[in-house]
Amino acid sequence: MAKKITLPLTRELSRTLHAGDQVLVSGIIYTSRDAGHKRMCETLEKGEPLPFDPTDATIYYVGPTPAKPGQVIGSAGPTTSGRMDAYAPMLMSVGARGMIGKGARLPEVIEAVKTYEGTYFGAIGGAGALLAKSIKSSELIAYEDLGAEALRRLQVVDMPLVVIIDSKGNNLYQQGREAYLKSVTADSGK
């Protein structure tokens, strides 16, 4: 059974989540991919404020397709999170706590998740049309010149996600691999 959570992702909320939890997320999330993350980090390096308050924010690694008539947004599937690994620790250091994407993360990102008590959520790759149904509003807030990679504020309701890395650094990908290897070893001993 999926656990319903409402953002913002405070430290207290993040601590209640565990690697492997299925969740239905509601609230405000922000979108950004590589180019947007690079620009945000350059802004921070200049000592300038971001175009949104990153405190307890969750960032979805997505470049949505244009909305068709009558839709809020087009397909909104996750992009590979590793593309943001160089930027994620800096954004977490200024308050961002949640990340949504797909794929493994570097040790530096896992360490930042632990340090800042964040959460890395996994979204199902290839399910962009399904995920878009959870998005109730979309507002462009910065970097319009980046097209699909522009910074957007989304209102989501019951977005289906899985906790991949929790605030203690527990990693579902690692746990799953270990469980698989254990089962293979047990089976080969029969």
Side-chain angles (χ1 to χ4, degrees):
M1 178 117 172
K3 179 180 197 176
K4 288 188 174 231
I5 64 169
T6 302
L7 302 176
L9 187 63
T10 62
R11 284 182 193 270
E12 295 73 26
L13 177 56
S14 187
R15 289 181 195 134
T16 69
L17 303 173
H18 307 285
D21 285 353
Q22 295 178 22
V23 294
L24 295 172
V25 174
S26 297
I28 300 295
I29 62 175
Y30 296 90
T31 69
S32 187
R33 286 183 35 162
D34 339 12
H37 273 71
K38 182 175 188 242
R39 194 170 291 175
M40 285 189 284
C41 287
E42 288 170 349
T43 298
L44 291 170
E45 287 168 355
K46 292 177 192 172
E48 298 171 2
L50 293 176
F52 70 101
D53 181 359
T55 307
D56 298 333
T58 296
I59 301 173
Y60 184 20
Y61 304 149
V62 63
T65 63
K68 293 179 182 169
Q71 292 182 328
V72 170
I73 200 164
S75 182
T79 196
T80 303
S81 299
R83 294 176 179 164
M84 275 52 71
D85 281 356
Y87 311 111
M90 178 180 276
L91 290 171
M92 293 189 81
S93 76
V94 296
R97 195 167 319 282
M99 299 166 283
I100 304 169
K102 67 178 181 183
R105 307 307 299 268
L106 289 176
E108 298 82 16
V109 176
I110 296 170
E111 195 56 41
V113 169
K114 288 172 24 182
T115 299
Y116 301 109
E117 296 183 287
T119 302
Y120 170 50
F121 300 98
I124 300 168
L130 172 67
L131 290 165
K133 290 181 180 182
S134 300
I135 301 169
K136 304 307 176 188
S137 69
S138 173
E139 175 190 0
L140 177 69
I141 58 172
Y143 314 146
E144 185 174 7
D145 61 304
L146 297 179
E149 293 197 40
L151 186 59
R152 290 175 173 77
R153 179 185 296 115
L154 306 180
Q155 173 74 39
V156 299
V157 175
D158 291 341
M159 179 177 265
L161 304 171
V162 175
V163 175
I164 303 298
I165 302 170
D166 65 27
S167 63
K168 294 192 177 12
N170 298 310
N171 185 335
L172 180 62
Y173 294 147
Q174 181 182 355
Q175 293 170 344
R177 184 176 192 280
E178 289 169 359
Y180 170 75
L181 292 174
K182 186 176 180 180
S183 73
V184 169
T185 303
D187 287 346
S188 66
K190 292 182 179 178

